[in-house]
Short mmCIF file of all heavy atoms in Angstrom, two decimals:
data_model
loop_
_atom_site.label_atom_id
_atom_site.label_comp_id
_atom_site.label_asym_id
_atom_site.label_seq_id
_atom_site.Cartn_x
_atom_site.Cartn_y
_atom_site.Cartn_z
N MET A 10 27.70 -61.54 10.42
CA MET A 10 29.05 -62.06 10.31
C MET A 10 29.10 -63.45 10.94
O MET A 10 28.61 -63.66 12.04
CB MET A 10 30.03 -61.12 11.00
CG MET A 10 31.46 -61.63 10.96
SD MET A 10 32.53 -60.61 11.98
CE MET A 10 33.49 -59.84 10.73
N VAL A 11 29.72 -64.40 10.28
CA VAL A 11 29.85 -65.76 10.77
C VAL A 11 31.10 -65.85 11.64
O VAL A 11 32.17 -65.39 11.24
CB VAL A 11 29.96 -66.76 9.59
CG1 VAL A 11 30.21 -68.17 10.08
CG2 VAL A 11 28.73 -66.69 8.72
N PRO A 12 31.00 -66.43 12.88
CA PRO A 12 32.18 -66.54 13.74
C PRO A 12 33.25 -67.43 13.12
O PRO A 12 32.94 -68.38 12.41
CB PRO A 12 31.64 -67.18 15.02
CG PRO A 12 30.17 -67.17 14.92
CD PRO A 12 29.81 -66.96 13.50
N ASP A 13 34.50 -67.11 13.37
CA ASP A 13 35.62 -67.92 12.88
C ASP A 13 35.75 -69.15 13.76
O ASP A 13 36.10 -69.05 14.93
CB ASP A 13 36.91 -67.10 12.92
CG ASP A 13 38.12 -67.91 12.49
OD1 ASP A 13 37.95 -68.98 11.87
OD2 ASP A 13 39.24 -67.47 12.78
N THR A 14 35.45 -70.32 13.20
CA THR A 14 35.56 -71.56 13.95
C THR A 14 36.82 -72.34 13.59
O THR A 14 37.03 -73.43 14.08
CB THR A 14 34.32 -72.46 13.72
OG1 THR A 14 34.22 -72.75 12.33
CG2 THR A 14 33.06 -71.77 14.22
N SER A 15 37.68 -71.76 12.74
CA SER A 15 38.88 -72.47 12.29
C SER A 15 39.88 -72.71 13.41
O SER A 15 40.71 -73.61 13.32
CB SER A 15 39.55 -71.72 11.14
OG SER A 15 39.99 -70.44 11.59
N THR A 16 39.82 -71.93 14.48
CA THR A 16 40.77 -72.10 15.58
C THR A 16 40.18 -72.90 16.74
O THR A 16 40.84 -73.11 17.74
CB THR A 16 41.26 -70.74 16.11
OG1 THR A 16 40.12 -70.00 16.56
CG2 THR A 16 41.99 -69.96 15.03
N VAL A 17 38.95 -73.36 16.61
CA VAL A 17 38.31 -74.14 17.67
C VAL A 17 38.78 -75.58 17.56
O VAL A 17 38.68 -76.21 16.52
CB VAL A 17 36.77 -74.08 17.57
CG1 VAL A 17 36.12 -74.99 18.58
CG2 VAL A 17 36.29 -72.65 17.74
N ASP A 18 39.32 -76.12 18.65
CA ASP A 18 39.74 -77.52 18.71
C ASP A 18 38.58 -78.30 19.32
O ASP A 18 38.32 -78.21 20.51
CB ASP A 18 40.99 -77.67 19.57
CG ASP A 18 41.52 -79.09 19.62
OD1 ASP A 18 40.80 -80.03 19.20
OD2 ASP A 18 42.66 -79.27 20.09
N ALA A 19 37.87 -79.07 18.50
CA ALA A 19 36.68 -79.78 18.94
C ALA A 19 36.98 -80.87 19.96
O ALA A 19 36.07 -81.37 20.62
CB ALA A 19 35.96 -80.37 17.74
N SER A 20 38.25 -81.23 20.13
CA SER A 20 38.60 -82.26 21.11
C SER A 20 38.91 -81.67 22.48
O SER A 20 39.20 -82.40 23.42
CB SER A 20 39.80 -83.08 20.61
OG SER A 20 40.97 -82.29 20.62
N ARG A 21 38.84 -80.34 22.61
CA ARG A 21 39.17 -79.65 23.86
C ARG A 21 37.97 -78.88 24.38
O ARG A 21 37.20 -78.31 23.62
CB ARG A 21 40.31 -78.66 23.63
CG ARG A 21 41.56 -79.32 23.13
CD ARG A 21 42.57 -79.36 24.23
NE ARG A 21 43.64 -80.29 23.93
CZ ARG A 21 44.10 -81.15 24.81
NH1 ARG A 21 43.58 -81.22 26.01
NH2 ARG A 21 45.06 -81.97 24.50
N CYS A 22 37.85 -78.85 25.69
CA CYS A 22 36.77 -78.10 26.34
C CYS A 22 36.98 -76.61 26.06
O CYS A 22 38.07 -76.08 26.28
CB CYS A 22 36.81 -78.37 27.85
SG CYS A 22 35.61 -77.39 28.81
N PRO A 23 35.93 -75.93 25.61
CA PRO A 23 36.07 -74.49 25.32
C PRO A 23 36.16 -73.63 26.58
O PRO A 23 36.46 -72.44 26.48
CB PRO A 23 34.80 -74.18 24.52
CG PRO A 23 33.82 -75.19 24.98
CD PRO A 23 34.62 -76.43 25.27
N LEU A 24 35.94 -74.23 27.75
CA LEU A 24 36.02 -73.46 29.00
C LEU A 24 37.37 -73.59 29.69
O LEU A 24 37.91 -72.61 30.18
CB LEU A 24 34.90 -73.89 29.96
CG LEU A 24 33.48 -73.65 29.44
CD1 LEU A 24 32.46 -74.18 30.42
CD2 LEU A 24 33.26 -72.17 29.17
N CYS A 25 37.93 -74.81 29.73
CA CYS A 25 39.19 -75.00 30.46
C CYS A 25 40.34 -75.47 29.58
O CYS A 25 41.49 -75.45 30.00
CB CYS A 25 38.99 -75.97 31.62
SG CYS A 25 38.78 -77.69 31.10
N GLY A 26 40.05 -75.92 28.38
CA GLY A 26 41.10 -76.37 27.46
C GLY A 26 41.51 -77.82 27.62
O GLY A 26 42.33 -78.32 26.86
N ALA A 27 40.93 -78.53 28.60
CA ALA A 27 41.26 -79.95 28.79
C ALA A 27 40.60 -80.79 27.70
O ALA A 27 39.63 -80.36 27.07
CB ALA A 27 40.78 -80.41 30.16
N ALA A 28 41.11 -81.99 27.51
CA ALA A 28 40.48 -82.93 26.57
C ALA A 28 39.05 -83.17 27.04
O ALA A 28 38.80 -83.36 28.22
CB ALA A 28 41.26 -84.23 26.52
N ASN A 29 38.09 -83.14 26.10
CA ASN A 29 36.69 -83.28 26.50
C ASN A 29 36.16 -84.72 26.39
O ASN A 29 35.03 -84.98 26.79
CB ASN A 29 35.79 -82.32 25.72
CG ASN A 29 35.89 -82.50 24.23
OD1 ASN A 29 36.28 -83.54 23.73
ND2 ASN A 29 35.54 -81.45 23.49
N ALA A 30 36.95 -85.63 25.85
CA ALA A 30 36.57 -87.05 25.74
C ALA A 30 35.24 -87.23 25.03
O ALA A 30 34.45 -88.10 25.38
CB ALA A 30 36.56 -87.72 27.11
N CYS A 31 34.99 -86.44 24.02
CA CYS A 31 33.74 -86.52 23.27
C CYS A 31 33.81 -87.67 22.27
O CYS A 31 34.60 -87.62 21.32
CB CYS A 31 33.46 -85.21 22.55
SG CYS A 31 31.97 -85.27 21.53
N ALA A 32 33.01 -88.69 22.48
CA ALA A 32 33.01 -89.85 21.59
C ALA A 32 32.57 -89.46 20.18
O ALA A 32 33.07 -90.02 19.20
CB ALA A 32 32.11 -90.93 22.14
N MET A 33 31.68 -88.51 20.06
CA MET A 33 31.23 -88.09 18.74
C MET A 33 32.36 -87.43 17.96
O MET A 33 32.50 -87.63 16.76
CB MET A 33 30.03 -87.16 18.87
CG MET A 33 28.80 -87.89 19.40
SD MET A 33 27.33 -86.87 19.58
CE MET A 33 27.73 -85.94 21.06
N GLU A 34 33.21 -86.66 18.64
CA GLU A 34 34.35 -86.04 17.98
C GLU A 34 35.39 -87.09 17.60
O GLU A 34 35.97 -87.04 16.52
CB GLU A 34 34.97 -84.95 18.86
CG GLU A 34 36.23 -84.33 18.28
CD GLU A 34 36.05 -83.73 16.89
OE1 GLU A 34 34.94 -83.38 16.49
OE2 GLU A 34 37.07 -83.61 16.18
N VAL A 35 35.62 -88.06 18.48
CA VAL A 35 36.57 -89.15 18.17
C VAL A 35 36.09 -89.89 16.92
O VAL A 35 36.87 -90.17 16.01
CB VAL A 35 36.72 -90.12 19.37
CG1 VAL A 35 37.50 -91.35 18.97
CG2 VAL A 35 37.38 -89.41 20.54
N GLN A 36 34.81 -90.18 16.85
CA GLN A 36 34.27 -90.88 15.69
C GLN A 36 34.41 -90.04 14.43
O GLN A 36 34.79 -90.54 13.38
CB GLN A 36 32.80 -91.25 15.92
CG GLN A 36 32.22 -92.06 14.78
CD GLN A 36 30.89 -92.69 15.14
OE1 GLN A 36 30.70 -93.11 16.27
NE2 GLN A 36 29.98 -92.73 14.19
N ARG A 37 34.11 -88.75 14.52
CA ARG A 37 34.24 -87.87 13.36
C ARG A 37 35.70 -87.81 12.89
O ARG A 37 35.99 -87.89 11.71
CB ARG A 37 33.75 -86.46 13.70
CG ARG A 37 33.75 -85.55 12.46
CD ARG A 37 33.75 -84.09 12.83
NE ARG A 37 34.96 -83.66 13.49
CZ ARG A 37 36.14 -83.46 12.90
NH1 ARG A 37 36.31 -83.69 11.62
NH2 ARG A 37 37.20 -83.05 13.59
N ALA A 38 36.61 -87.68 13.83
CA ALA A 38 38.03 -87.54 13.49
C ALA A 38 38.66 -88.82 12.98
O ALA A 38 39.55 -88.78 12.13
CB ALA A 38 38.80 -87.02 14.70
N THR A 39 38.22 -89.96 13.51
CA THR A 39 38.88 -91.22 13.16
C THR A 39 38.08 -92.12 12.23
O THR A 39 38.64 -93.03 11.61
CB THR A 39 39.18 -92.05 14.43
OG1 THR A 39 37.94 -92.47 15.02
CG2 THR A 39 40.01 -91.28 15.43
N GLY A 40 36.78 -91.91 12.17
CA GLY A 40 35.92 -92.78 11.38
C GLY A 40 35.62 -94.10 12.07
O GLY A 40 34.96 -94.96 11.51
N THR A 41 36.10 -94.25 13.30
CA THR A 41 35.88 -95.46 14.07
C THR A 41 34.64 -95.30 14.95
O THR A 41 34.54 -94.34 15.71
CB THR A 41 37.10 -95.76 14.97
OG1 THR A 41 38.25 -95.87 14.13
CG2 THR A 41 36.92 -97.05 15.75
N SER A 42 33.71 -96.25 14.84
CA SER A 42 32.49 -96.19 15.62
C SER A 42 32.81 -96.17 17.11
O SER A 42 33.71 -96.87 17.57
CB SER A 42 31.62 -97.40 15.28
OG SER A 42 30.40 -97.32 15.95
N GLN A 43 32.06 -95.37 17.85
CA GLN A 43 32.26 -95.20 19.29
C GLN A 43 30.96 -95.51 20.03
O GLN A 43 29.88 -95.40 19.47
CB GLN A 43 32.66 -93.75 19.60
CG GLN A 43 33.92 -93.28 18.93
CD GLN A 43 35.15 -93.97 19.46
OE1 GLN A 43 35.38 -93.99 20.67
NE2 GLN A 43 35.94 -94.55 18.58
N PRO A 44 31.06 -95.87 21.30
CA PRO A 44 29.84 -96.03 22.10
C PRO A 44 29.21 -94.65 22.30
O PRO A 44 29.85 -93.63 22.05
CB PRO A 44 30.35 -96.60 23.42
CG PRO A 44 31.77 -96.16 23.50
CD PRO A 44 32.27 -96.11 22.08
N PRO A 45 27.97 -94.60 22.77
CA PRO A 45 27.35 -93.29 23.01
C PRO A 45 28.21 -92.42 23.93
O PRO A 45 28.82 -92.91 24.87
CB PRO A 45 26.02 -93.64 23.69
CG PRO A 45 25.72 -95.02 23.21
CD PRO A 45 27.07 -95.70 23.09
N CYS A 46 28.26 -91.16 23.63
CA CYS A 46 29.08 -90.21 24.39
C CYS A 46 28.48 -89.96 25.77
O CYS A 46 27.26 -89.91 25.94
CB CYS A 46 29.20 -88.90 23.63
SG CYS A 46 30.42 -87.77 24.35
N TRP A 47 29.36 -89.75 26.76
CA TRP A 47 28.95 -89.45 28.13
C TRP A 47 28.05 -88.21 28.17
O TRP A 47 27.15 -88.11 28.99
CB TRP A 47 30.18 -89.23 29.03
CG TRP A 47 30.94 -87.99 28.67
CD1 TRP A 47 31.98 -87.89 27.79
CD2 TRP A 47 30.69 -86.68 29.13
NE1 TRP A 47 32.38 -86.59 27.67
CE2 TRP A 47 31.61 -85.81 28.50
CE3 TRP A 47 29.79 -86.12 30.02
CZ2 TRP A 47 31.65 -84.45 28.72
CZ3 TRP A 47 29.83 -84.75 30.24
CH2 TRP A 47 30.76 -83.93 29.59
N CYS A 48 28.27 -87.30 27.24
CA CYS A 48 27.55 -86.02 27.29
C CYS A 48 26.06 -86.17 26.97
O CYS A 48 25.28 -85.29 27.30
CB CYS A 48 28.20 -85.00 26.36
SG CYS A 48 28.04 -85.37 24.60
N LEU A 49 25.69 -87.27 26.35
CA LEU A 49 24.27 -87.47 26.05
C LEU A 49 23.44 -87.66 27.31
O LEU A 49 22.23 -87.45 27.31
CB LEU A 49 24.09 -88.65 25.10
CG LEU A 49 24.72 -88.48 23.72
CD1 LEU A 49 24.58 -89.75 22.91
CD2 LEU A 49 24.13 -87.29 22.99
N GLU A 50 24.09 -88.05 28.40
CA GLU A 50 23.42 -88.25 29.68
C GLU A 50 23.65 -87.09 30.64
O GLU A 50 23.07 -87.05 31.72
CB GLU A 50 23.90 -89.55 30.34
CG GLU A 50 23.58 -90.79 29.53
CD GLU A 50 22.08 -91.06 29.43
OE1 GLU A 50 21.36 -90.83 30.42
OE2 GLU A 50 21.64 -91.50 28.35
N ALA A 51 24.51 -86.15 30.28
CA ALA A 51 24.88 -85.04 31.16
C ALA A 51 23.85 -83.92 31.09
O ALA A 51 23.17 -83.74 30.08
CB ALA A 51 26.25 -84.51 30.78
N ASN A 52 23.76 -83.17 32.17
CA ASN A 52 22.93 -81.97 32.21
C ASN A 52 23.83 -80.75 32.22
O ASN A 52 24.69 -80.62 33.09
CB ASN A 52 22.05 -81.97 33.47
CG ASN A 52 20.99 -83.03 33.42
OD1 ASN A 52 20.33 -83.19 32.40
ND2 ASN A 52 20.85 -83.78 34.48
N PHE A 53 23.63 -79.89 31.26
CA PHE A 53 24.41 -78.66 31.16
C PHE A 53 23.48 -77.49 31.43
O PHE A 53 22.50 -77.31 30.72
CB PHE A 53 25.01 -78.51 29.75
CG PHE A 53 25.95 -79.63 29.38
CD1 PHE A 53 25.50 -80.72 28.65
CD2 PHE A 53 27.28 -79.59 29.75
CE1 PHE A 53 26.36 -81.74 28.30
CE2 PHE A 53 28.15 -80.61 29.40
CZ PHE A 53 27.68 -81.69 28.67
N SER A 54 23.80 -76.71 32.45
CA SER A 54 22.95 -75.57 32.77
C SER A 54 23.05 -74.51 31.68
O SER A 54 24.07 -74.42 30.98
CB SER A 54 23.36 -74.95 34.12
OG SER A 54 24.61 -74.31 34.00
N ARG A 55 22.01 -73.73 31.57
CA ARG A 55 22.01 -72.64 30.58
C ARG A 55 23.17 -71.69 30.87
O ARG A 55 23.85 -71.22 29.96
CB ARG A 55 20.69 -71.88 30.63
CG ARG A 55 20.66 -70.67 29.70
CD ARG A 55 19.34 -69.94 29.74
NE ARG A 55 18.25 -70.74 29.28
CZ ARG A 55 17.86 -70.84 28.01
NH1 ARG A 55 18.50 -70.17 27.09
NH2 ARG A 55 16.84 -71.58 27.67
N GLU A 56 23.43 -71.42 32.16
CA GLU A 56 24.51 -70.51 32.54
C GLU A 56 25.86 -71.05 32.07
O GLU A 56 26.71 -70.29 31.61
CB GLU A 56 24.53 -70.29 34.05
CG GLU A 56 23.32 -69.56 34.59
CD GLU A 56 22.09 -70.44 34.79
OE1 GLU A 56 22.20 -71.70 34.75
OE2 GLU A 56 21.00 -69.88 34.97
N LEU A 57 26.07 -72.36 32.22
CA LEU A 57 27.32 -72.97 31.80
C LEU A 57 27.48 -72.86 30.28
O LEU A 57 28.53 -72.44 29.78
CB LEU A 57 27.38 -74.44 32.23
CG LEU A 57 28.67 -75.18 31.92
CD1 LEU A 57 29.84 -74.59 32.70
CD2 LEU A 57 28.51 -76.65 32.24
N ILE A 58 26.46 -73.17 29.56
CA ILE A 58 26.50 -73.10 28.09
C ILE A 58 26.74 -71.67 27.62
O ILE A 58 27.49 -71.44 26.68
CB ILE A 58 25.22 -73.70 27.49
CG1 ILE A 58 25.19 -75.21 27.76
CG2 ILE A 58 25.12 -73.41 25.99
CD1 ILE A 58 23.89 -75.89 27.43
N GLU A 59 26.15 -70.72 28.31
CA GLU A 59 26.32 -69.31 27.93
C GLU A 59 27.75 -68.82 28.13
O GLU A 59 28.16 -67.83 27.54
CB GLU A 59 25.33 -68.43 28.68
CG GLU A 59 23.92 -68.59 28.17
CD GLU A 59 22.88 -67.84 28.98
OE1 GLU A 59 23.22 -67.28 30.05
OE2 GLU A 59 21.73 -67.80 28.53
N ARG A 60 28.54 -69.53 28.95
CA ARG A 60 29.94 -69.14 29.18
C ARG A 60 30.85 -69.62 28.05
O ARG A 60 32.00 -69.19 27.96
CB ARG A 60 30.41 -69.67 30.52
CG ARG A 60 29.66 -68.95 31.66
CD ARG A 60 30.19 -69.20 33.03
NE ARG A 60 31.63 -69.17 33.09
CZ ARG A 60 32.36 -70.14 33.63
NH1 ARG A 60 31.79 -71.21 34.15
NH2 ARG A 60 33.66 -70.05 33.66
N VAL A 61 30.37 -70.52 27.21
CA VAL A 61 31.16 -71.01 26.08
C VAL A 61 31.32 -69.86 25.08
O VAL A 61 30.34 -69.22 24.71
CB VAL A 61 30.48 -72.21 25.40
CG1 VAL A 61 31.21 -72.62 24.13
CG2 VAL A 61 30.37 -73.38 26.37
N PRO A 62 32.56 -69.57 24.66
CA PRO A 62 32.76 -68.50 23.68
C PRO A 62 31.91 -68.75 22.43
O PRO A 62 31.73 -69.89 22.00
CB PRO A 62 34.25 -68.60 23.35
CG PRO A 62 34.86 -69.24 24.56
CD PRO A 62 33.81 -70.20 25.07
N THR A 63 31.38 -67.69 21.88
CA THR A 63 30.48 -67.78 20.73
C THR A 63 31.05 -68.64 19.61
O THR A 63 30.35 -69.48 19.05
CB THR A 63 30.15 -66.38 20.20
OG1 THR A 63 29.58 -65.61 21.27
CG2 THR A 63 29.17 -66.43 19.06
N ALA A 64 32.32 -68.47 19.28
CA ALA A 64 32.93 -69.23 18.18
C ALA A 64 32.98 -70.73 18.44
O ALA A 64 33.03 -71.52 17.51
CB ALA A 64 34.34 -68.71 17.89
N ALA A 65 32.95 -71.12 19.72
CA ALA A 65 33.05 -72.54 20.07
C ALA A 65 31.69 -73.21 20.26
O ALA A 65 31.62 -74.43 20.35
CB ALA A 65 33.88 -72.73 21.33
N ARG A 66 30.63 -72.43 20.29
CA ARG A 66 29.29 -73.02 20.49
C ARG A 66 28.94 -73.92 19.33
O ARG A 66 29.14 -73.57 18.17
CB ARG A 66 28.24 -71.93 20.65
CG ARG A 66 28.42 -71.20 21.96
CD ARG A 66 27.32 -70.23 22.24
NE ARG A 66 27.66 -69.51 23.48
CZ ARG A 66 27.01 -68.47 23.89
NH1 ARG A 66 25.97 -68.03 23.23
NH2 ARG A 66 27.39 -67.88 25.01
N ASP A 67 28.46 -75.10 19.66
CA ASP A 67 28.11 -76.13 18.68
C ASP A 67 29.33 -76.62 17.90
O ASP A 67 29.19 -77.22 16.84
CB ASP A 67 27.03 -75.64 17.70
CG ASP A 67 25.74 -75.31 18.42
OD1 ASP A 67 25.36 -76.03 19.36
OD2 ASP A 67 25.10 -74.31 18.03
N GLN A 68 30.53 -76.33 18.40
CA GLN A 68 31.77 -76.76 17.75
C GLN A 68 32.60 -77.65 18.65
O GLN A 68 33.33 -78.49 18.17
CB GLN A 68 32.61 -75.54 17.33
CG GLN A 68 31.90 -74.59 16.42
CD GLN A 68 31.53 -75.22 15.10
OE1 GLN A 68 32.32 -75.91 14.48
NE2 GLN A 68 30.31 -74.98 14.67
N ALA A 69 32.55 -77.42 19.97
CA ALA A 69 33.37 -78.16 20.93
C ALA A 69 32.56 -78.42 22.19
O ALA A 69 31.83 -77.55 22.66
CB ALA A 69 34.63 -77.38 21.28
N CYS A 70 32.70 -79.63 22.73
CA CYS A 70 31.96 -80.04 23.92
C CYS A 70 32.64 -79.57 25.21
O CYS A 70 33.86 -79.56 25.31
CB CYS A 70 31.85 -81.56 23.98
SG CYS A 70 30.86 -82.25 22.66
N ILE A 71 31.81 -79.24 26.17
CA ILE A 71 32.29 -78.96 27.52
C ILE A 71 32.74 -80.28 28.12
O ILE A 71 32.10 -81.31 27.91
CB ILE A 71 31.14 -78.35 28.35
CG1 ILE A 71 30.71 -77.00 27.74
CG2 ILE A 71 31.53 -78.20 29.82
CD1 ILE A 71 29.43 -76.45 28.28
N CYS A 72 33.85 -80.28 28.86
CA CYS A 72 34.35 -81.52 29.46
C CYS A 72 33.53 -81.92 30.69
O CYS A 72 32.78 -81.11 31.25
CB CYS A 72 35.83 -81.39 29.83
SG CYS A 72 36.16 -80.33 31.25
N ALA A 73 33.68 -83.17 31.11
CA ALA A 73 32.94 -83.69 32.26
C ALA A 73 33.27 -82.93 33.54
O ALA A 73 32.38 -82.69 34.36
CB ALA A 73 33.23 -85.18 32.43
N ALA A 74 34.52 -82.53 33.71
CA ALA A 74 34.91 -81.80 34.93
C ALA A 74 34.21 -80.45 35.00
O ALA A 74 33.69 -80.07 36.05
CB ALA A 74 36.42 -81.63 34.99
N CYS A 75 34.18 -79.71 33.92
CA CYS A 75 33.50 -78.42 33.91
C CYS A 75 31.99 -78.60 34.05
O CYS A 75 31.33 -77.83 34.75
CB CYS A 75 33.81 -77.64 32.64
SG CYS A 75 35.47 -76.93 32.61
N ALA A 76 31.45 -79.63 33.43
CA ALA A 76 30.01 -79.90 33.55
C ALA A 76 29.65 -80.21 34.99
O ALA A 76 28.67 -79.70 35.52
CB ALA A 76 29.61 -81.05 32.63
N ALA A 77 30.47 -81.03 35.65
CA ALA A 77 30.20 -81.41 37.04
C ALA A 77 30.36 -80.23 38.00
O ALA A 77 29.61 -80.09 38.96
CB ALA A 77 31.12 -82.55 37.47
N ALA A 78 31.34 -79.38 37.72
CA ALA A 78 31.61 -78.25 38.60
C ALA A 78 30.72 -77.06 38.30
O ALA A 78 30.66 -76.12 39.08
CB ALA A 78 33.08 -77.84 38.48
N GLY A 79 30.06 -77.10 37.15
CA GLY A 79 29.22 -75.96 36.74
C GLY A 79 30.04 -74.73 36.47
O GLY A 79 29.57 -73.62 36.59
N ARG A 80 31.31 -74.93 36.11
CA ARG A 80 32.23 -73.80 35.89
C ARG A 80 31.70 -72.90 34.84
O ARG A 80 31.74 -72.77 33.81
CB ARG A 80 33.61 -74.30 35.50
CG ARG A 80 34.29 -75.03 36.60
CD ARG A 80 35.70 -75.25 36.21
NE ARG A 80 36.16 -76.55 36.65
CZ ARG A 80 37.36 -76.97 36.49
NH1 ARG A 80 38.25 -76.26 35.88
NH2 ARG A 80 37.74 -78.13 36.94
#
């Protein structure tokens, strides 16, 4: 069964719901070229990534605050 991704907001962190400031999502949504996203330099622990709901994996970025806090 394929997870329902229709309710995932790619501009929001799947862990806390805050805006994730993902430059790649801004570019996809607006068509306006963006500088490289902050997340390309971030380290996300396996534990943090595993906390992302299945439907949101590879659909929405974790925000900088959650990444920094390891939430």
Side-chain angles (χ1 to χ4, degrees):
M10 178 188 250
V11 176
D13 177 17
T14 59
S15 63
T16 59
V17 174
D18 183 347
S20 69
R21 301 253 164 226
C22 175
L24 298 176
C25 72
N29 57 22
C31 177
M33 293 180 284
E34 176 56 23
V35 170
Q36 184 167 323
R37 186 200 66 75
T39 66
T41 303
S42 184
Q43 301 292 307
C46 190
W47 68 269
C48 68
L49 296 176
E50 298 294 323
N52 291 314
F53 299 95
S54 70
R55 176 179 296 272
E56 293 81 13
L57 183 65
I58 292 170
E59 287 175 352
R60 293 190 43 232
V61 173
T63 303
R66 291 187 185 170
D67 298 321
Q68 303 297 315
C70 294
I71 297 168
C72 72
C75 285
R80 293 190 218 183

